[in-house]
Amino acid sequence: MRTKHWHVDNSVDVLDTYPQIEEAAELLKQDEVVAFPTETVYGLGGNALSDQAAAKIFAAKGRPADNPLIVHIASKQQVADIAVNLSQTAERLMEAFWPGPLTVILEKQPNRLSQLVTAGLETVAVRMPDHPVALAVIRKCGLPIAAPSANRSGKPSPTSARHVQDDLDGVIAGIIDGGDTGVGVESTVVDCTGSIPVILRPGGITKEDIEAVVGEAAIDAALTDMNQQPKSPGMKYKHYAPEAPVYLLDGSRSWVQSRINEQRQEGKKVGLLTTEENLPFYEADVILPCGRRDDLRTVAHSLYEVLRAFNETDVDIIYSETFPTDGVGLAIMNRLEKAAAHRWLHEKQK
């Protein structure tokens, strides 16, 4: 398949009439799949009402079909087309954070969406992205768009059109290049079908943000217990991993350096994911800074770019610093734990 490539200037006030947007929207109406930028990561979009389009998404990603997809909309009015019985909590969260990096789990409208999109569940994950290109494409095609991240399943999510091209060129109908994304990690997913909202996947909207709007919010047990089955789209299987094995290091700088030295003495090339503040303190074969520890949103923004950058090196092993889990740190550590397949090394306490 020949993949079409379009570049779109995000600064243009009216994107809906752009020929690139019109051409991409027409392909979506023909049940083809197209990658486009959102404020979190690039999404791989297809008609959420079509089994054919949904099947193409799963095939392109190599994603198991029991993993539901998030449905993207361009206006709050579209919610009524795909969901019913919205709770007051859901309404308040949508009012506070849409458009933005928040996905809400709602009771689905019967006999409307493709069963592949919802993986046969009675619920649907819905969000309205805060990106002019994404919104323009969804408006132009007039459809709810199912869109997981636009990467091969298990690989780091794409934060630029180049990442999408690396994974899916020749596999999908088109890629819209709208520049690099902003947040850098996927949306927060909140189950709003119960009495208390439950965070199924941490992301750009933090637990603290949510509780400031609706009061108490719970965290899904699967985020802290490997034996629990995740309920969120995109969280069921191994994700975000570069080619070399990743290990999370919990310890002092001197201890981290000693772990690096041990591997190098065994002839292995070692990569290190660190922060700008700690760059001067380490020596390794490849050291990549991932934002600043004093502003974890910069770490979230750079995380997937850095994980992908290690694939362009010849390192045999990747060590990563770890981060506090308050605020957006919860999302960062969730992604790093999955990238590392939950492999931790801890400094022994005296």
Side-chain angles (χ1 to χ4, degrees):
M1 174 183 288
R2 177 179 174 272
T3 300
K4 294 187 176 182
H5 295 259
W6 307 280
H7 179 79
V8 176
D9 185 351
N10 294 333
S11 65
V12 175
D13 291 335
V14 182
L15 287 171
D16 298 50
T17 57
Y18 251 42
Q20 300 97 313
I21 298 293
E22 292 180 338
E23 188 174 4
E26 189 58 36
L27 285 173
L28 288 168
K29 287 191 282 188
Q30 295 171 13
D31 289 342
E32 296 293 346
V33 293
V34 172
F36 56 85
T38 76
E39 80 281 21
T40 56
V41 299
Y42 270 70
L44 181 59
N47 179 2
L49 309 180
S50 165
D51 287 342
Q52 182 181 5
K56 288 180 179 179
I57 292 173
F58 284 108
K61 284 182 64 70
R63 179 181 174 118
D66 61 347
N67 208 354
L69 306 176
I70 294 174
V71 177
H72 292 61
I73 58 176
S75 71
K76 292 176 184 174
Q77 288 70 34
Q78 282 183 278
V79 175
D81 293 335
I82 56 178
V84 295
N85 302 327
L86 272 64
S87 66
Q88 185 180 27
T89 295
E91 296 275 11
R92 290 168 66 186
L93 288 174
M94 291 186 293
E95 182 64 31
F97 299 115
W98 278 9
L102 181 80
T103 294
V104 291
I105 304 292
L106 306 171
E107 183 181 340
K108 73 177 183 181
Q109 185 79 255
N111 306 315
R112 176 69 172 156
L113 295 160
S114 165
Q115 285 286 93
L116 293 175
V117 168
T118 59
L121 301 173
E122 296 305 313
T123 55
V124 58
V126 188
R127 96 172 184 100
M128 181 163 61
D130 188 15
H131 195 287
V133 172
L135 293 172
V137 170
I138 297 168
R139 281 194 302 266
K140 194 65 182 179
C141 70
L143 296 165
I145 297 298
S149 56
N151 57 291
R152 291 289 296 175
S153 190
K155 299 299 183 183
S157 298
T159 55
S160 71
R162 178 177 59 85
H163 295 160
V164 182
Q165 184 173 344
D166 289 344
D167 281 9
L168 299 176
D169 198 30
V171 178
I172 62 176
I175 301 170
I176 305 175
D177 184 349
D180 292 350
T181 61
V183 177
V185 293
E186 295 87 348
S187 62
T188 303
V189 178
V190 182
D191 186 347
C192 294
T193 61
S195 57
I196 297 174
V198 180
I199 298 171
L200 305 183
R201 180 179 75 186
I205 302 298
T206 68
K207 181 175 185 285
E208 294 84 351
D209 294 333
I210 292 166
E211 291 185 329
V213 173
V214 297
E216 182 184 2
I219 294 180
D220 182 26
L223 293 178
T224 54
D225 185 351
M226 290 175 58
N227 295 318
Q228 295 286 328
Q229 183 65 47
K231 302 173 185 176
S232 172
M235 293 290 282
K236 190 171 182 180
Y237 298 95
K238 179 186 175 185
H239 274 61
Y240 321 118
E243 292 168 4
V246 178
Y247 290 82
L248 304 180
L249 301 189
D250 174 28
S252 63
R253 290 171 182 155
S254 60
W255 177 80
V256 170
Q257 186 62 57
S258 70
R259 301 282 74 72
I260 295 170
N261 294 344
E262 284 183 1
Q263 292 296 320
R264 297 177 82 188
Q265 287 167 6
E266 294 178 6
K268 293 182 179 179
K269 291 188 176 180
V270 181
L272 177 67
L273 184 155
T274 184
T275 53
E276 293 175 12
E277 296 98 325
N278 287 342
L279 269 177
F281 300 102
Y282 294 119
E283 180 182 347
D285 296 284
V286 177
I287 303 178
L288 297 181
C290 186
R292 302 189 309 279
R293 186 167 286 273
D294 63 0
D295 183 0
L296 291 185
R297 291 194 177 275
T298 65
V299 177
H301 173 77
S302 302
L303 182 61
Y304 293 146
E305 174 73 29
V306 170
L307 289 175
R308 281 181 172 265
F310 277 116
N311 286 342
E312 299 173 10
T313 73
D314 59 353
V315 298
D316 301 303
I317 189 171
I318 300 166
Y319 284 150
S320 174
E321 289 187 347
T322 54
F323 301 91
T325 55
D326 54 323
V328 75
L330 182 65
I332 294 167
M333 287 308 302
N334 171 264
R335 302 325 192 263
L336 279 173
E337 283 200 290
K338 283 191 164 290
H342 299 276
R343 291 182 291 248
W344 282 80
L345 298 175
H346 299 275
E347 183 176 11
K348 292 182 180 179
Q349 301 298 320
K350 294 182 178 179

